[in-house]
mmCIF file of all heavy atoms in Angstrom:
data_model
loop_
_atom_site.group_PDB
_atom_site.id
_atom_site.type_symbol
_atom_site.label_atom_id
_atom_site.label_comp_id
_atom_site.label_asym_id
_atom_site.label_seq_id
_atom_site.Cartn_x
_atom_site.Cartn_y
_atom_site.Cartn_z
ATOM 1 N N ALA A 1 -22.205 -2.059 80.145
ATOM 2 C CA ALA A 1 -22.526 -3.146 79.230
ATOM 3 C C ALA A 1 -21.261 -3.908 78.874
ATOM 4 O O ALA A 1 -20.262 -3.299 78.479
ATOM 5 C CB ALA A 1 -23.191 -2.612 77.965
ATOM 6 N N ILE A 2 -21.325 -5.224 79.003
ATOM 7 C CA ILE A 2 -20.205 -6.086 78.632
ATOM 8 C C ILE A 2 -20.474 -6.675 77.256
ATOM 9 O O ILE A 2 -21.609 -7.008 76.919
ATOM 10 C CB ILE A 2 -19.984 -7.202 79.677
ATOM 11 C CG1 ILE A 2 -18.723 -8.005 79.366
ATOM 12 C CG2 ILE A 2 -21.206 -8.095 79.812
ATOM 13 C CD1 ILE A 2 -18.326 -8.968 80.493
ATOM 14 N N SER A 3 -19.429 -6.777 76.455
ATOM 15 C CA SER A 3 -19.560 -7.368 75.128
ATOM 16 C C SER A 3 -18.243 -8.025 74.763
ATOM 17 O O SER A 3 -17.216 -7.787 75.413
ATOM 18 C CB SER A 3 -19.943 -6.302 74.090
ATOM 19 O OG SER A 3 -18.935 -5.307 73.998
ATOM 20 N N LYS A 4 -18.287 -8.861 73.735
ATOM 21 C CA LYS A 4 -17.046 -9.491 73.299
ATOM 22 C C LYS A 4 -17.019 -9.609 71.790
ATOM 23 O O LYS A 4 -18.056 -9.592 71.120
ATOM 24 C CB LYS A 4 -16.853 -10.855 73.952
ATOM 25 C CG LYS A 4 -17.834 -11.930 73.512
ATOM 26 C CD LYS A 4 -17.478 -13.260 74.182
ATOM 27 C CE LYS A 4 -18.450 -14.343 73.768
ATOM 28 N NZ LYS A 4 -18.093 -15.663 74.356
ATOM 29 N N ASP A 5 -15.821 -9.716 71.269
ATOM 30 C CA ASP A 5 -15.603 -9.909 69.847
ATOM 31 C C ASP A 5 -14.623 -11.060 69.711
ATOM 32 O O ASP A 5 -13.411 -10.872 69.857
ATOM 33 C CB ASP A 5 -15.063 -8.625 69.217
ATOM 34 C CG ASP A 5 -14.944 -8.709 67.706
ATOM 35 O OD1 ASP A 5 -14.831 -9.834 67.173
ATOM 36 O OD2 ASP A 5 -14.946 -7.658 67.062
ATOM 37 N N GLY A 6 -15.156 -12.252 69.445
ATOM 38 C CA GLY A 6 -14.309 -13.425 69.342
ATOM 39 C C GLY A 6 -13.283 -13.314 68.230
ATOM 40 O O GLY A 6 -12.154 -13.781 68.370
ATOM 41 N N ALA A 7 -13.669 -12.673 67.142
ATOM 42 C CA ALA A 7 -12.750 -12.527 66.008
ATOM 43 C C ALA A 7 -11.538 -11.688 66.385
ATOM 44 O O ALA A 7 -10.439 -11.889 65.862
ATOM 45 C CB ALA A 7 -13.473 -11.918 64.822
ATOM 46 N N LYS A 8 -11.733 -10.752 67.300
ATOM 47 C CA LYS A 8 -10.631 -9.896 67.745
ATOM 48 C C LYS A 8 -10.015 -10.392 69.047
ATOM 49 O O LYS A 8 -9.119 -9.747 69.593
ATOM 50 C CB LYS A 8 -11.108 -8.453 67.906
ATOM 51 C CG LYS A 8 -11.535 -7.793 66.606
ATOM 52 C CD LYS A 8 -11.911 -6.338 66.830
ATOM 53 C CE LYS A 8 -12.271 -5.670 65.507
ATOM 54 N NZ LYS A 8 -12.648 -4.249 65.692
ATOM 55 N N SER A 9 -10.559 -11.504 69.576
ATOM 56 C CA SER A 9 -10.063 -12.045 70.846
ATOM 57 C C SER A 9 -10.073 -10.989 71.937
ATOM 58 O O SER A 9 -9.140 -10.900 72.746
ATOM 59 C CB SER A 9 -8.650 -12.617 70.680
ATOM 60 O OG SER A 9 -8.643 -13.677 69.747
ATOM 61 N N SER A 10 -11.123 -10.209 71.961
ATOM 62 C CA SER A 10 -11.211 -9.113 72.924
ATOM 63 C C SER A 10 -12.608 -9.037 73.521
ATOM 64 O O SER A 10 -13.586 -9.467 72.895
ATOM 65 C CB SER A 10 -10.890 -7.776 72.256
ATOM 66 O OG SER A 10 -9.554 -7.742 71.795
ATOM 67 N N PHE A 11 -12.677 -8.494 74.718
ATOM 68 C CA PHE A 11 -13.978 -8.151 75.253
ATOM 69 C C PHE A 11 -13.899 -6.798 75.921
ATOM 70 O O PHE A 11 -12.803 -6.268 76.162
ATOM 71 C CB PHE A 11 -14.564 -9.244 76.142
ATOM 72 C CG PHE A 11 -13.782 -9.651 77.358
ATOM 73 C CD1 PHE A 11 -14.135 -9.182 78.616
ATOM 74 C CD2 PHE A 11 -12.733 -10.561 77.268
ATOM 75 C CE1 PHE A 11 -13.471 -9.598 79.753
ATOM 76 C CE2 PHE A 11 -12.051 -10.979 78.389
ATOM 77 C CZ PHE A 11 -12.423 -10.499 79.640
ATOM 78 N N TYR A 12 -15.078 -6.233 76.189
ATOM 79 C CA TYR A 12 -15.166 -4.819 76.493
ATOM 80 C C TYR A 12 -16.120 -4.569 77.665
ATOM 81 O O TYR A 12 -16.998 -5.372 77.946
ATOM 82 C CB TYR A 12 -15.682 -4.054 75.254
ATOM 83 C CG TYR A 12 -14.964 -4.425 73.990
ATOM 84 C CD1 TYR A 12 -15.468 -5.410 73.144
ATOM 85 C CD2 TYR A 12 -13.763 -3.804 73.649
ATOM 86 C CE1 TYR A 12 -14.790 -5.769 71.989
ATOM 87 C CE2 TYR A 12 -13.086 -4.161 72.497
ATOM 88 C CZ TYR A 12 -13.600 -5.146 71.676
ATOM 89 O OH TYR A 12 -12.928 -5.500 70.533
ATOM 90 N N LEU A 13 -15.935 -3.426 78.282
ATOM 91 C CA LEU A 13 -16.886 -2.939 79.268
ATOM 92 C C LEU A 13 -17.169 -1.480 78.953
ATOM 93 O O LEU A 13 -16.300 -0.626 79.119
ATOM 94 C CB LEU A 13 -16.352 -3.081 80.692
ATOM 95 C CG LEU A 13 -17.352 -2.710 81.784
ATOM 96 C CD1 LEU A 13 -18.507 -3.711 81.812
ATOM 97 C CD2 LEU A 13 -16.683 -2.647 83.154
ATOM 98 N N GLN A 14 -18.354 -1.232 78.446
ATOM 99 C CA GLN A 14 -18.796 0.132 78.208
ATOM 100 C C GLN A 14 -19.402 0.668 79.492
ATOM 101 O O GLN A 14 -20.353 0.096 80.008
ATOM 102 C CB GLN A 14 -19.827 0.183 77.073
ATOM 103 C CG GLN A 14 -20.362 1.563 76.777
ATOM 104 C CD GLN A 14 -19.312 2.492 76.209
ATOM 105 O OE1 GLN A 14 -18.526 2.101 75.360
ATOM 106 N NE2 GLN A 14 -19.293 3.737 76.686
ATOM 107 N N MET A 15 -18.835 1.743 79.991
ATOM 108 C CA MET A 15 -19.276 2.311 81.264
ATOM 109 C C MET A 15 -19.819 3.710 81.017
ATOM 110 O O MET A 15 -19.078 4.605 80.602
ATOM 111 C CB MET A 15 -18.112 2.368 82.252
ATOM 112 C CG MET A 15 -17.427 1.021 82.451
ATOM 113 S SD MET A 15 -16.209 1.048 83.783
ATOM 114 C CE MET A 15 -14.995 2.174 83.099
ATOM 115 N N ASN A 16 -21.100 3.872 81.234
ATOM 116 C CA ASN A 16 -21.758 5.158 81.030
ATOM 117 C C ASN A 16 -22.206 5.748 82.370
ATOM 118 O O ASN A 16 -22.345 5.036 83.355
ATOM 119 C CB ASN A 16 -22.965 4.994 80.101
ATOM 120 C CG ASN A 16 -22.588 4.488 78.727
ATOM 121 O OD1 ASN A 16 -21.529 4.816 78.194
ATOM 122 N ND2 ASN A 16 -23.457 3.685 78.143
ATOM 123 N N THR A 17 -22.455 7.026 82.341
ATOM 124 C CA THR A 17 -22.936 7.733 83.537
ATOM 125 C C THR A 17 -22.112 7.351 84.770
ATOM 126 O O THR A 17 -22.625 6.920 85.801
ATOM 127 C CB THR A 17 -24.429 7.438 83.782
ATOM 128 O OG1 THR A 17 -25.139 7.423 82.544
ATOM 129 C CG2 THR A 17 -25.043 8.510 84.681
ATOM 130 N N LEU A 18 -20.823 7.501 84.630
ATOM 131 C CA LEU A 18 -19.927 7.093 85.708
ATOM 132 C C LEU A 18 -20.154 7.919 86.963
ATOM 133 O O LEU A 18 -20.481 9.123 86.896
ATOM 134 C CB LEU A 18 -18.479 7.198 85.240
ATOM 135 C CG LEU A 18 -18.034 6.044 84.339
ATOM 136 C CD1 LEU A 18 -16.810 6.435 83.532
ATOM 137 C CD2 LEU A 18 -17.770 4.812 85.171
ATOM 138 N N ARG A 19 -19.967 7.285 88.085
ATOM 139 C CA ARG A 19 -20.158 7.905 89.398
ATOM 140 C C ARG A 19 -18.872 7.764 90.213
ATOM 141 O O ARG A 19 -18.061 6.871 89.941
ATOM 142 C CB ARG A 19 -21.305 7.224 90.147
ATOM 143 C CG ARG A 19 -22.574 7.117 89.335
ATOM 144 C CD ARG A 19 -23.758 6.554 90.084
ATOM 145 N NE ARG A 19 -23.512 5.347 90.848
ATOM 146 C CZ ARG A 19 -24.444 4.434 91.085
ATOM 147 N NH1 ARG A 19 -25.677 4.613 90.586
ATOM 148 N NH2 ARG A 19 -24.172 3.391 91.824
ATOM 149 N N PRO A 20 -18.689 8.612 91.205
ATOM 150 C CA PRO A 20 -17.471 8.499 92.035
ATOM 151 C C PRO A 20 -17.314 7.109 92.665
ATOM 152 O O PRO A 20 -16.177 6.641 92.828
ATOM 153 C CB PRO A 20 -17.685 9.572 93.105
ATOM 154 C CG PRO A 20 -18.484 10.616 92.403
ATOM 155 C CD PRO A 20 -19.426 9.858 91.514
ATOM 156 N N ASP A 21 -18.415 6.430 92.992
ATOM 157 C CA ASP A 21 -18.266 5.112 93.601
ATOM 158 C C ASP A 21 -17.908 4.022 92.590
ATOM 159 O O ASP A 21 -17.758 2.856 92.969
ATOM 160 C CB ASP A 21 -19.520 4.726 94.406
ATOM 161 C CG ASP A 21 -20.781 4.670 93.582
ATOM 162 O OD1 ASP A 21 -20.739 4.974 92.375
ATOM 163 O OD2 ASP A 21 -21.837 4.317 94.144
ATOM 164 N N ASP A 22 -17.760 4.380 91.324
ATOM 165 C CA ASP A 22 -17.215 3.441 90.343
ATOM 166 C C ASP A 22 -15.689 3.452 90.348
ATOM 167 O O ASP A 22 -15.064 2.642 89.654
ATOM 168 C CB ASP A 22 -17.705 3.795 88.929
ATOM 169 C CG ASP A 22 -19.196 3.608 88.758
ATOM 170 O OD1 ASP A 22 -19.731 2.602 89.243
ATOM 171 O OD2 ASP A 22 -19.833 4.493 88.134
ATOM 172 N N THR A 23 -15.098 4.356 91.086
ATOM 173 C CA THR A 23 -13.643 4.445 91.173
ATOM 174 C C THR A 23 -13.065 3.152 91.731
ATOM 175 O O THR A 23 -13.471 2.684 92.794
ATOM 176 C CB THR A 23 -13.227 5.625 92.053
ATOM 177 O OG1 THR A 23 -13.649 6.846 91.435
ATOM 178 C CG2 THR A 23 -11.717 5.660 92.251
ATOM 179 N N ALA A 24 -12.151 2.551 90.993
ATOM 180 C CA ALA A 24 -11.543 1.284 91.393
ATOM 181 C C ALA A 24 -10.516 0.887 90.344
ATOM 182 O O ALA A 24 -10.408 1.529 89.286
ATOM 183 C CB ALA A 24 -12.598 0.181 91.499
ATOM 184 N N VAL A 25 -9.774 -0.162 90.642
ATOM 185 C CA VAL A 25 -8.971 -0.819 89.614
ATOM 186 C C VAL A 25 -9.845 -1.916 89.006
ATOM 187 O O VAL A 25 -10.426 -2.731 89.740
ATOM 188 C CB VAL A 25 -7.681 -1.410 90.189
ATOM 189 C CG1 VAL A 25 -6.902 -2.143 89.088
ATOM 190 C CG2 VAL A 25 -6.811 -0.306 90.795
ATOM 191 N N TYR A 26 -9.934 -1.903 87.691
ATOM 192 C CA TYR A 26 -10.781 -2.857 86.977
ATOM 193 C C TYR A 26 -9.900 -3.933 86.343
ATOM 194 O O TYR A 26 -8.900 -3.624 85.691
ATOM 195 C CB TYR A 26 -11.593 -2.145 85.896
ATOM 196 C CG TYR A 26 -12.743 -1.368 86.471
ATOM 197 C CD1 TYR A 26 -12.531 -0.191 87.182
ATOM 198 C CD2 TYR A 26 -14.059 -1.821 86.317
ATOM 199 C CE1 TYR A 26 -13.588 0.515 87.737
ATOM 200 C CE2 TYR A 26 -15.126 -1.115 86.862
ATOM 201 C CZ TYR A 26 -14.880 0.046 87.571
ATOM 202 O OH TYR A 26 -15.929 0.748 88.118
ATOM 203 N N TYR A 27 -10.312 -5.174 86.560
ATOM 204 C CA TYR A 27 -9.577 -6.326 86.057
ATOM 205 C C TYR A 27 -10.481 -7.139 85.133
ATOM 206 O O TYR A 27 -11.671 -7.313 85.420
ATOM 207 C CB TYR A 27 -9.144 -7.244 87.194
ATOM 208 C CG TYR A 27 -8.241 -6.603 88.216
ATOM 209 C CD1 TYR A 27 -8.757 -5.901 89.309
ATOM 210 C CD2 TYR A 27 -6.857 -6.714 88.115
ATOM 211 C CE1 TYR A 27 -7.931 -5.328 90.250
ATOM 212 C CE2 TYR A 27 -6.017 -6.141 89.058
ATOM 213 C CZ TYR A 27 -6.566 -5.449 90.114
ATOM 214 O OH TYR A 27 -5.747 -4.879 91.046
ATOM 215 N N CYS A 28 -9.910 -7.668 84.073
ATOM 216 C CA CYS A 28 -10.662 -8.630 83.289
ATOM 217 C C CYS A 28 -10.163 -10.028 83.639
ATOM 218 O O CYS A 28 -9.004 -10.213 84.016
ATOM 219 C CB CYS A 28 -10.554 -8.357 81.796
ATOM 220 S SG CYS A 28 -8.910 -8.350 81.075
ATOM 221 N N GLY A 29 -11.079 -10.987 83.519
ATOM 222 C CA GLY A 29 -10.747 -12.350 83.875
ATOM 223 C C GLY A 29 -11.461 -13.338 82.963
ATOM 224 O O GLY A 29 -12.513 -13.031 82.407
ATOM 225 N N ALA A 30 -10.874 -14.521 82.842
ATOM 226 C CA ALA A 30 -11.470 -15.599 82.047
ATOM 227 C C ALA A 30 -11.366 -16.886 82.843
ATOM 228 O O ALA A 30 -10.302 -17.185 83.405
ATOM 229 C CB ALA A 30 -10.755 -15.725 80.709
ATOM 230 N N PHE A 31 -12.466 -17.628 82.896
ATOM 231 C CA PHE A 31 -12.470 -18.834 83.702
ATOM 232 C C PHE A 31 -13.341 -19.906 83.067
ATOM 233 O O PHE A 31 -14.369 -19.611 82.461
ATOM 234 C CB PHE A 31 -12.938 -18.555 85.140
ATOM 235 C CG PHE A 31 -14.292 -17.890 85.259
ATOM 236 C CD1 PHE A 31 -15.411 -18.627 85.625
ATOM 237 C CD2 PHE A 31 -14.440 -16.528 85.051
ATOM 238 C CE1 PHE A 31 -16.645 -18.026 85.768
ATOM 239 C CE2 PHE A 31 -15.678 -15.907 85.181
ATOM 240 C CZ PHE A 31 -16.782 -16.668 85.546
ATOM 241 N N LEU A 32 -12.909 -21.149 83.230
ATOM 242 C CA LEU A 32 -13.650 -22.278 82.672
ATOM 243 C C LEU A 32 -14.758 -22.740 83.602
ATOM 244 O O LEU A 32 -15.874 -23.021 83.169
ATOM 245 C CB LEU A 32 -12.696 -23.436 82.380
ATOM 246 C CG LEU A 32 -11.819 -23.325 81.136
ATOM 247 C CD1 LEU A 32 -10.815 -24.475 81.107
ATOM 248 C CD2 LEU A 32 -12.650 -23.303 79.870
ATOM 249 N N TRP A 33 -14.431 -22.835 84.900
ATOM 250 C CA TRP A 33 -15.366 -23.463 85.834
ATOM 251 C C TRP A 33 -15.910 -22.463 86.813
ATOM 252 O O TRP A 33 -15.175 -21.723 87.449
ATOM 253 C CB TRP A 33 -14.657 -24.611 86.552
ATOM 254 C CG TRP A 33 -14.031 -25.567 85.585
ATOM 255 C CD1 TRP A 33 -12.707 -25.818 85.411
ATOM 256 C CD2 TRP A 33 -14.708 -26.360 84.600
ATOM 257 N NE1 TRP A 33 -12.517 -26.707 84.395
ATOM 258 C CE2 TRP A 33 -13.718 -27.071 83.888
ATOM 259 C CE3 TRP A 33 -16.046 -26.544 84.257
ATOM 260 C CZ2 TRP A 33 -14.031 -27.955 82.851
ATOM 261 C CZ3 TRP A 33 -16.360 -27.422 83.230
ATOM 262 C CH2 TRP A 33 -15.366 -28.116 82.544
ATOM 263 N N GLY A 34 -17.198 -22.467 86.949
ATOM 264 C CA GLY A 34 -17.888 -21.565 87.853
ATOM 265 C C GLY A 34 -19.316 -21.404 87.407
ATOM 266 O O GLY A 34 -19.858 -22.283 86.727
ATOM 267 N N ALA A 35 -19.942 -20.323 87.780
ATOM 268 C CA ALA A 35 -21.345 -20.104 87.436
ATOM 269 C C ALA A 35 -21.561 -18.654 87.030
ATOM 270 O O ALA A 35 -21.155 -17.738 87.758
ATOM 271 C CB ALA A 35 -22.241 -20.442 88.626
ATOM 272 N N VAL A 36 -22.163 -18.485 85.870
ATOM 273 C CA VAL A 36 -22.588 -17.155 85.439
ATOM 274 C C VAL A 36 -24.072 -17.236 85.108
ATOM 275 O O VAL A 36 -24.473 -17.896 84.151
ATOM 276 C CB VAL A 36 -21.804 -16.652 84.215
ATOM 277 C CG1 VAL A 36 -22.312 -15.256 83.822
ATOM 278 C CG2 VAL A 36 -20.312 -16.609 84.494
ATOM 279 N N LYS A 37 -24.861 -16.589 85.949
ATOM 280 C CA LYS A 37 -26.295 -16.503 85.730
ATOM 281 C C LYS A 37 -26.684 -15.044 85.886
ATOM 282 O O LYS A 37 -25.848 -14.207 86.224
ATOM 283 C CB LYS A 37 -27.033 -17.377 86.751
ATOM 284 C CG LYS A 37 -26.606 -18.829 86.729
ATOM 285 C CD LYS A 37 -27.310 -19.628 87.810
ATOM 286 C CE LYS A 37 -26.824 -21.079 87.810
ATOM 287 N NZ LYS A 37 -27.478 -21.887 88.871
#
């Protein structure tokens, strides 16, 4: 689950029931132009 707190200028990724195939380097990003649907 992704969430954000504008007052804290932070956002989060809650990861539950983790699996071995979730192993990776995780990056956060912010972008003005693109598409999120």
